Amino acid sequence: MSIHEVFMPALSSTMTEGKIVSWVKSPGDKVEKGETVVVVESDKADMDVETFYEGYLAHIIVQAGESAAVGSAIAYVAETEAEIEAAKSLVNSGSTAATAPAPEKVPATAGVGASTATTHNGNGSNHKEGRLVASPRARKLAKELKVDLTSLKGSGPYGRIVAEDVEAIVNKGKPAAPTTPAPTVAPVVQPPAPAVAAAAPALVPAATSAVPGQIVPLTTLQNAVVRGMVASLAVPVFRVGYTITTDGLDKLYKQIKSKGVTMTALLAKAVAVTLQKHPLLNASYSDQGIVYHSDINISVAVAMDDGGLITPVLRNADMVDIYSLSRNWKSLVDRARAKQLQPDEYNSGTFTLSNLGMFGVDTFDAILPPGQGSILAIGAARPQLVATSDGLFGVHQQMQVNITCDHRIIYGAHAAAFLQDLSKLIETNAQSLTL
């Protein structure tokens, strides 16, 4: 007789507990090895969790909406129907009763965080041919709209069905609404303000509906941000500000935004290209010494509309062309809204951008993310009366940037030299960002 515990898996390196979003299987249901049984909300995403065992979901210990620490049991899987009642008795007795078989624990090498579950992480390592793979949001939408998921072809990684696939089949044959954008990558809609002022299409947090005097518990994502920010307080940092004229960058943006290029991608590209000359600014501290990263991955801070902050990552931003980079960014933001980012899409950054320019902010100090050496805060671009080198005056668009660096490995001269080269690129050679 064998009863197995399903553990709360560690879906990211910073995850200490997870929240059950929904159980895909109900008690008594047959489960196959590698089949999704539960959807878990980790620090920053909802992820499918699979079982290593074939048998029956005997008992659910942690219900939907409840949280559990990483490594704790959230359910029991029995190998046979006859063992279902024995599994229930483990919970009812509060311990492994002598008359009931002790649940087996899977070896630590069998799954993430030594749990009995593994995640479908979208990179193909856990993909199984012939098995239906759909995002939690797609499953929920399909249930509401009465769509058979088995009839759909997924457009996500490795054929994963996403919400857009469900919506597409429902809307098939219907006339498109006037507000529906035709292109796959829509150009950024600019408010009547300078181009750089809307550099990052951050999600603006929705107004809270909390009653005054009421205590609203933090979300899983907000708690993750809290832990990261508290950890950052232990790092000695310094800040350096710089003013950059953006006339050339604004002109380039106006020329190519109709092709789907975003200002976020342009800024990320400019920073990444500059980092090629300043690898120390792309490095991070460790107890063993300075970690020089092989890739330049630009994180961009995005405020989630239900609270918290996430940093989608534009990987190899120095090498990817500006058009592909813009498409990647749009995909990252869409999946961030749907809480469908995979861990390596938000925790693999080596340098971070934080932009509040769209709110008209002049300048601000950004908090250094854990595990990185630098973060660049970007303010709004404004028309300024500037004295030119020939002694005349002219009106130019200018923005203020402010870099925060880990002073254990980066010194003032390093940061200043980086900002000087970034300014030179943006002011005199912005067109090179399209090459």
Side-chain angles (χ1 to χ4, degrees):
M1 296 177 68
S2 296
I3 297 173
H4 307 283
E5 290 178 330
V6 177
F7 291 103
M8 175 63 72
L11 303 177
S12 73
S13 60
T14 59
M15 179 175 165
T16 58
E17 70 173 15
K19 182 179 180 181
I20 304 297
V21 177
S22 62
W23 283 95
V24 178
K25 294 289 186 177
S26 300
D29 286 355
K30 185 80 168 65
V31 294
E32 303 292 338
K33 183 178 179 180
E35 185 176 16
T36 297
V37 294
V38 64
V39 178
V40 171
E41 179 186 29
S42 66
D43 289 353
K44 301 176 181 179
D46 292 348
M47 301 186 72
D48 296 350
V49 176
E50 305 165 352
T51 176
F52 276 128
Y53 299 110
E54 181 178 343
Y56 297 85
L57 183 61
H59 184 78
I60 293 174
I61 302 172
V62 182
Q63 300 297 325
E66 297 178 355
S67 299
V70 168
S72 62
I74 58 175
Y76 289 129
V77 171
E79 289 190 358
T80 64
E81 284 186 278
E83 293 172 307
I84 293 178
E85 290 303 319
K88 291 180 181 178
S89 71
L90 295 178
V91 180
N92 296 332
S93 66
S95 63
T96 53
T99 56
E104 293 185 6
K105 298 181 184 294
V106 72
T109 55
V112 178
S115 80
T116 61
T118 184
T119 61
H120 174 80
N121 57 18
N123 63 10
S125 62
N126 291 321
H127 178 69
K128 297 173 180 60
E129 294 298 332
R131 183 170 67 82
L132 178 67
V133 180
S135 72
R137 186 162 168 255
R139 291 179 187 276
K140 181 179 179 182
L141 196 60
K143 186 176 181 180
E144 292 173 353
L145 300 176
K146 296 181 172 55
V147 173
D148 181 8
L149 287 175
T150 60
S151 66
L152 301 184
K153 183 177 181 181
S155 62
Y158 297 90
R160 180 183 176 93
I161 298 172
V162 295
E164 288 75 10
D165 299 325
V166 180
E167 292 169 347
I169 197 70
V170 171
N171 294 328
K172 192 175 182 180
K174 295 182 181 179
T179 56
T180 302
T184 303
V185 181
V188 175
V189 179
Q190 285 295 108
V196 176
L203 311 180
V204 180
T208 179
S209 58
V211 178
Q214 185 182 47
I215 297 177
V216 178
L218 296 177
T219 65
T220 304
L221 176 56
Q222 287 172 316
N223 276 316
V225 173
V226 168
R227 291 192 297 272
M229 295 303 96
V230 171
S232 293
L233 293 177
V235 178
V237 299
F238 71 95
R239 299 174 178 87
V240 179
Y242 212 97
T243 300
I244 300 177
T245 299
T246 63
D247 292 342
L249 189 66
D250 295 342
K251 180 181 178 181
L252 173 64
Y253 176 63
K254 290 175 183 177
Q255 291 174 348
I256 60 179
K257 68 176 182 179
S258 62
K259 298 179 181 179
V261 173
T262 67
M263 182 57 75
T264 295
L266 281 171
L267 288 170
K269 181 77 171 180
V271 167
V273 169
T274 307
L275 285 173
Q276 289 178 332
K277 301 178 183 178
H278 301 271
L280 185 60
L281 273 292
N282 191 55
S284 58
Y285 170 86
S286 76
D287 292 338
Q288 290 73 42
I290 302 174
V291 180
Y292 286 95
H293 301 288
S294 57
D295 298 326
I296 297 176
N297 299 333
I298 306 298
S299 303
V300 183
V302 174
M304 297 293 283
D305 54 3
D306 59 348
L309 186 75
I310 196 166
T311 52
V313 179
L314 288 166
R315 298 183 61 87
N316 300 302
D318 59 322
M319 306 295 292
V320 178
D321 69 88
I322 193 64
Y323 304 102
S324 298
L325 206 63
S326 295
R327 288 193 295 272
N328 293 348
W329 177 244
K330 182 180 184 300
S331 172
L332 287 167
V333 171
D334 288 346
R335 286 183 291 118
R337 286 194 179 104
K339 298 183 70 177
Q340 293 302 309
L341 291 181
Q342 299 300 319
D344 65 338
E345 292 178 315
Y346 60 76
N347 65 12
S348 60
T350 57
F351 186 106
T352 296
L353 297 183
S354 180
N355 175 39
L356 292 178
M358 71 287 296
F359 298 108
V361 171
D362 291 319
T363 184
F364 66 101
D365 293 337
I367 299 177
L368 188 67
Q372 292 188 21
S374 306
I375 180 172
L376 186 68
I378 301 173
R382 300 184 185 282
Q384 303 286 349
L385 186 62
V386 180
T388 62
S389 57
D390 54 6
L392 301 176
F393 289 94
V395 176
H396 296 282
Q397 291 291 126
Q398 291 190 326
M399 69 177 181
Q400 294 184 59
V401 298
N402 196 16
I403 194 168
T404 301
C405 297
D406 186 339
H407 211 336
R408 293 173 298 183
I409 60 172
I410 301 169
Y411 304 140
H414 300 136
F418 165 77
L419 292 177
Q420 190 175 48
D421 283 346
L422 176 64
S423 174
K424 183 179 179 181
L425 172 62
I426 290 176
E427 292 181 354
T428 67
N429 198 20
Q431 289 289 336
S432 68
L433 299 176
T434 62
L435 301 179

